Amino acid sequence: MSALTFLIPVSIALGGLGLAVFFWACRTGQYEDVTGASERIFRDEDDKPL
């Protein structure tokens, strides 16, 4: 039973930390361009627009 008194607060703290990091990533615009990276891998760096 003493293990649960340690593990439950640790799991709640880690969940809160993950939620805080997710909200930080949303606020700083990490999820703004979700298709850009998947399209950029098909473009050649040598091809410059004229």
Side-chain angles (χ1 to χ4, degrees), residues 1-13:
M1 194 65 168
S2 66
L4 286 179
T5 60
F6 174 72
L7 290 176
I8 289 174
V10 167
S11 65
I12 290 173

Side-chain angles (χ1 to χ4, degrees), residues 18-32:
L19 190 62
V21 169
F22 172 73
F23 283 137
W24 170 80
C26 286
R27 192 172 352 128
T28 58
Q30 297 293 318
Y31 298 112
E32 291 293 322

